[in-house]
CSV table of all heavy atoms in Angstrom, one decimal:
chain,number,residue,atom,x,y,z
A,8,LEU,N,2.2,19.5,3.0
A,8,LEU,CA,2.9,20.3,4.0
A,8,LEU,C,2.6,21.7,3.7
A,8,LEU,O,2.3,22.2,2.6
A,8,LEU,CB,4.4,20.1,3.9
A,8,LEU,CG,4.9,18.7,4.3
A,8,LEU,CD1,6.5,18.6,4.1
A,8,LEU,CD2,4.7,18.5,5.7
A,9,PRO,N,2.7,22.6,4.7
A,9,PRO,CA,2.5,24.1,4.6
A,9,PRO,C,3.5,24.7,3.6
A,9,PRO,O,4.7,24.3,3.6
A,9,PRO,CB,2.6,24.6,6.0
A,9,PRO,CG,2.3,23.4,6.9
A,9,PRO,CD,2.8,22.3,6.1
A,10,LEU,N,3.1,25.7,3.0
A,10,LEU,CA,4.0,26.5,2.1
A,10,LEU,C,4.2,27.8,2.7
A,10,LEU,O,3.3,28.6,2.8
A,10,LEU,CB,3.3,26.5,0.7
A,10,LEU,CG,4.1,26.7,-0.6
A,10,LEU,CD1,5.0,25.4,-0.8
A,10,LEU,CD2,3.2,27.0,-1.8
A,11,ILE,N,5.5,28.2,3.0
A,11,ILE,CA,5.8,29.4,3.6
A,11,ILE,C,6.5,30.2,2.6
A,11,ILE,O,7.5,29.9,2.0
A,11,ILE,CB,6.8,29.2,4.8
A,11,ILE,CG1,6.1,28.2,5.8
A,11,ILE,CG2,7.1,30.6,5.5
A,11,ILE,CD1,4.9,28.7,6.5
A,23,LYS,N,2.9,33.0,12.1
A,23,LYS,CA,1.8,32.2,12.7
A,23,LYS,C,1.7,30.9,11.8
A,23,LYS,O,1.5,29.9,12.4
A,23,LYS,CB,0.5,33.0,12.5
A,23,LYS,CG,-0.7,32.2,13.0
A,23,LYS,CD,-2.0,33.1,12.9
A,23,LYS,CE,-3.2,32.5,13.3
A,23,LYS,NZ,-4.3,33.3,13.2
A,24,SER,N,2.0,31.0,10.5
A,24,SER,CA,1.9,29.9,9.6
A,24,SER,C,3.1,28.9,10.1
A,24,SER,O,2.8,27.7,10.0
A,24,SER,CB,2.0,30.2,8.2
A,24,SER,OG,0.8,31.0,7.8
A,25,ILE,N,4.2,29.4,10.3
A,25,ILE,CA,5.4,28.6,10.7
A,25,ILE,C,5.1,27.9,12.1
A,25,ILE,O,5.4,26.7,12.3
A,25,ILE,CB,6.7,29.5,10.8
A,25,ILE,CG1,7.1,29.9,9.5
A,25,ILE,CG2,7.7,28.8,11.6
A,25,ILE,CD1,8.3,30.8,9.4
A,26,ARG,N,4.5,28.6,13.0
A,26,ARG,CA,4.2,28.0,14.2
A,26,ARG,C,3.2,26.8,14.1
A,26,ARG,O,3.5,25.7,14.6
A,26,ARG,CB,3.5,29.0,15.2
A,26,ARG,CG,3.1,28.5,16.6
A,26,ARG,CD,2.4,29.5,17.5
A,26,ARG,NE,2.1,28.9,18.7
A,26,ARG,CZ,3.0,28.8,19.8
A,26,ARG,NH1,4.2,29.3,19.7
A,26,ARG,NH2,2.6,28.3,20.9
A,27,GLN,N,2.3,27.0,13.3
A,27,GLN,CA,1.3,25.8,13.1
A,27,GLN,C,2.1,24.7,12.4
A,27,GLN,O,1.7,23.5,12.7
A,27,GLN,CB,0.1,26.3,12.2
A,27,GLN,CG,-1.2,25.4,12.3
A,27,GLN,CD,-1.7,25.3,13.7
A,27,GLN,OE1,-1.9,26.3,14.3
A,27,GLN,NE2,-1.9,24.1,14.1
A,28,ALA,N,2.8,25.0,11.3
A,28,ALA,CA,3.6,24.0,10.5
A,28,ALA,C,4.4,23.2,11.6
A,28,ALA,O,4.6,22.0,11.6
A,28,ALA,CB,4.4,24.6,9.6
A,29,CYS,N,5.2,23.9,12.5
A,29,CYS,CA,6.1,23.3,13.4
A,29,CYS,C,5.4,22.4,14.4
A,29,CYS,O,5.9,21.4,14.9
A,29,CYS,CB,7.1,24.4,14.1
A,29,CYS,SG,8.1,25.2,13.0
A,30,MET,N,4.2,22.8,14.8
A,30,MET,CA,3.5,22.1,15.8
A,30,MET,C,2.8,20.8,15.2
A,30,MET,O,2.7,19.7,15.7
A,30,MET,CB,2.4,22.9,16.4
A,30,MET,CG,2.9,24.0,17.3
A,30,MET,SD,1.5,25.2,17.8
A,30,MET,CE,0.6,24.2,18.8
A,31,ASP,N,2.3,21.0,13.9
A,31,ASP,CA,1.6,19.9,13.2
A,31,ASP,C,2.4,18.8,12.6
A,31,ASP,O,2.2,17.7,12.6
A,31,ASP,CB,0.6,20.4,12.2
A,31,ASP,CG,-0.5,21.2,13.0
A,31,ASP,OD1,-0.7,21.1,14.1
A,31,ASP,OD2,-1.2,22.0,12.2
A,32,HIS,N,3.5,19.4,12.0
A,32,HIS,CA,4.4,18.5,11.1
A,32,HIS,C,5.8,18.5,11.4
A,32,HIS,O,6.5,17.4,11.2
A,32,HIS,CB,4.3,19.0,9.5
A,32,HIS,CG,2.9,19.0,9.0
A,32,HIS,ND1,2.0,20.1,9.1
A,32,HIS,CD2,2.1,18.1,8.4
A,32,HIS,CE1,0.9,19.8,8.6
A,32,HIS,NE2,0.9,18.6,8.1
A,33,GLY,N,6.4,19.6,11.8
A,33,GLY,CA,7.8,19.7,12.1
A,33,GLY,C,8.5,19.9,10.7
A,33,GLY,O,9.8,20.1,10.7
A,34,PHE,N,7.7,19.9,9.6
A,34,PHE,CA,8.3,20.1,8.2
A,34,PHE,C,7.4,21.1,7.5
A,34,PHE,O,6.2,21.2,7.7
A,34,PHE,CB,8.2,18.8,7.5
A,34,PHE,CG,9.4,17.9,7.5
A,34,PHE,CD1,9.6,17.3,8.7
A,34,PHE,CD2,10.2,17.7,6.5
A,34,PHE,CE1,10.6,16.3,8.8
A,34,PHE,CE2,11.2,16.9,6.5
A,34,PHE,CZ,11.5,16.2,7.7
A,35,PHE,N,8.0,21.9,6.6
A,35,PHE,CA,7.3,22.8,5.8
A,35,PHE,C,8.1,23.2,4.6
A,35,PHE,O,9.4,22.9,4.6
A,35,PHE,CB,6.8,24.1,6.5
A,35,PHE,CG,7.9,24.9,7.2
A,35,PHE,CD1,8.6,25.9,6.6
A,35,PHE,CD2,8.2,24.6,8.6
A,35,PHE,CE1,9.6,26.5,7.3
A,35,PHE,CE2,9.2,25.3,9.2
A,35,PHE,CZ,9.9,26.3,8.6
A,232,ILE,N,12.4,21.0,11.6
A,232,ILE,CA,12.9,21.3,13.0
A,232,ILE,C,13.7,20.2,13.4
A,232,ILE,O,13.6,19.0,13.2
A,232,ILE,CB,11.7,21.5,13.9
A,232,ILE,CG1,10.8,22.7,13.5
A,232,ILE,CG2,12.1,21.6,15.3
A,232,ILE,CD1,11.5,24.0,13.6
A,244,PHE,N,7.4,22.4,19.3
A,244,PHE,CA,7.8,22.2,17.9
A,244,PHE,C,8.4,20.9,17.9
A,244,PHE,O,9.3,20.5,18.7
A,244,PHE,CB,8.7,23.4,17.5
A,244,PHE,CG,8.1,24.7,17.4
A,244,PHE,CD1,6.8,24.9,17.6
A,244,PHE,CD2,8.9,25.8,16.8
A,244,PHE,CE1,6.2,26.2,17.4
A,244,PHE,CE2,8.3,27.0,16.6
A,244,PHE,CZ,7.0,27.3,16.9
A,245,ARG,N,8.0,20.1,16.9
A,245,ARG,CA,8.5,18.7,16.9
A,245,ARG,C,9.6,18.5,15.9
A,245,ARG,O,9.6,19.0,14.8
A,245,ARG,CB,7.3,17.8,16.4
A,245,ARG,CG,6.7,18.1,15.1
A,245,ARG,CD,5.6,17.1,14.8
A,245,ARG,NE,4.4,17.2,15.6
A,245,ARG,CZ,3.5,16.2,15.6
A,245,ARG,NH1,3.6,15.2,14.9
A,245,ARG,NH2,2.3,16.4,16.4
Side-chain angles (χ1 to χ4, degrees):
L8 293 176
L10 208 63
I11 305 299
K23 183 178 179 181
S24 297
I25 288 176
R26 180 180 180 88
Q27 199 63 50
C29 294
M30 293 173 64
D31 293 345
H32 302 90
F34 271 74
F35 54 90
I232 294 298
F244 286 5
R245 60 173 71 190

